[in-house]
């Protein structure tokens, strides 16, 4: 009798562990995944080796931070969405205009304060269908759409939702 209850208990634990493993695999495959930031192109928002959680099922909007496969390599990049399909983007005198409306970029203030140079050179582009235009927050040191062009929406893994490492920086990114 005691042997049967032990077997039942062990079997119950095995079923529970398998259920947890399957749940983790499904969540990671379809809902969210952790990503490590490489480089300083998103500084000061993210630093090299920060760890973030990416939500795969998210509606991407202007200024969201996304993880995507770069058009020039299979590397995962983290950048901020500046333009969406159909947008006309213009930067003049370090100021961003989306569809002729001036847009404030508060996430650039720290970098602007510490640089004697303009962060973003002047340009004008129209974002094609099914594409995004992305830039890093550290504009002077960011390989982004200004360098490699538009990012196809199909290359997007998801939206950065939370930083979970380092512990001192846990929280929602701005």
């Amino acid at each position: 009798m005691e042997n049967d209850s032990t077997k039942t208990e062990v079997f119950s634990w095995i079923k529970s562990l398998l259920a947890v493993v399957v749940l983790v695999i499904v969540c990671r495959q379809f809902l969210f995944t952790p990503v490590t930031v490489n480089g300083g192109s998103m500084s000061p928002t993210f630093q090299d080796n920060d760890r973030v959680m990416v939500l795969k099922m998210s509606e991407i909007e202007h200024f969201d931070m996304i993880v995507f496969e770069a058009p020039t390599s299979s590397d995962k990049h983290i950048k901020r969405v500046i333009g969406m399909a159909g947008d006309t983007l213009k930067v003049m005198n370090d100021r961003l205009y989306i569809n002729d409306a001036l847009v404030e970029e508060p996430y650039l203030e720290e970098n602007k304060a510490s640089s004697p140079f303009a962060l973003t050179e002047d340009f004008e582009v129209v974002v094609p269908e099914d594409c995004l235009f992305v830039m890093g927050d550290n504009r002077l040191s960011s390989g982004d759409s200004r360098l490699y062009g538009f990012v196809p929406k199909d290359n997007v893994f998801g939206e950065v939702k939370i930083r979970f490492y380092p512990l001192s920086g846990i929280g929602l990114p701005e």
Side-chain angles (χ1 to χ4, degrees):
M1 280 295 228
E2 189 175 309
N3 199 14
D4 283 345
S5 73
T6 303
K7 284 181 183 178
T8 302
E9 182 75 19
V10 168
F11 185 66
S12 174
W13 274 100
I14 290 171
K15 285 191 329 188
S16 296
L17 287 173
L18 282 174
V20 167
V21 168
V22 167
L23 183 64
V24 167
I25 290 170
V26 167
C27 286
R28 185 163 177 165
Q29 187 67 30
F30 298 106
L31 298 178
F32 58 84
T33 191
V35 172
T36 301
V37 176
N38 291 316
S41 70
M42 283 298 291
S43 178
T45 306
F46 296 119
Q47 303 301 320
D48 191 34
N49 293 319
D50 280 4
R51 291 186 179 65
V52 297
M53 192 62 65
V54 174
L55 180 63
K56 293 182 175 187
M57 309 283 286
S58 183
E59 186 69 32
I60 304 300
E61 298 177 359
H62 286 102
F63 310 110
D64 286 346
M65 288 164 283
I66 61 169
V67 174
F68 59 94
E69 183 177 315
T72 56
S73 70
S74 61
D75 294 340
K76 288 182 181 174
H77 287 200
I78 297 177
K79 305 290 182 206
R80 192 177 295 271
V81 174
I82 302 300
M84 302 185 68
D87 285 344
T88 298
L89 306 177
K90 181 170 33 174
V91 172
M92 282 183 20
N93 300 320
D94 220 15
R95 300 176 82 173
L96 172 65
Y97 297 84
I98 299 177
N99 301 321
D100 293 323
L102 178 63
V103 177
E104 297 298 320
E105 296 182 282
Y107 46 84
L108 295 180
E109 292 305 318
E110 187 175 327
N111 287 338
K112 282 183 177 184
S114 65
S115 176
F117 306 106
L119 299 183
T120 313
E121 67 283 350
D122 292 353
F123 69 88
E124 186 170 349
V125 297
V126 176
V127 183
E129 282 302 311
D130 297 321
C131 289
L132 302 170
F133 189 91
V134 299
M135 289 196 286
D137 290 357
N138 186 1
R139 301 273 168 86
L140 292 174
S141 182
S142 177
D144 51 38
S145 287
R146 295 171 296 164
L147 177 67
Y148 50 64
F150 303 103
V151 175
K153 283 186 177 179
D154 290 344
N155 286 22
V156 176
F157 291 105
E159 180 186 0
V160 175
K161 284 297 192 180
I162 191 165
R163 176 184 14 241
F164 63 90
Y165 181 86
L167 298 179
S168 61
I170 287 178
L172 302 173
E174 295 180 22

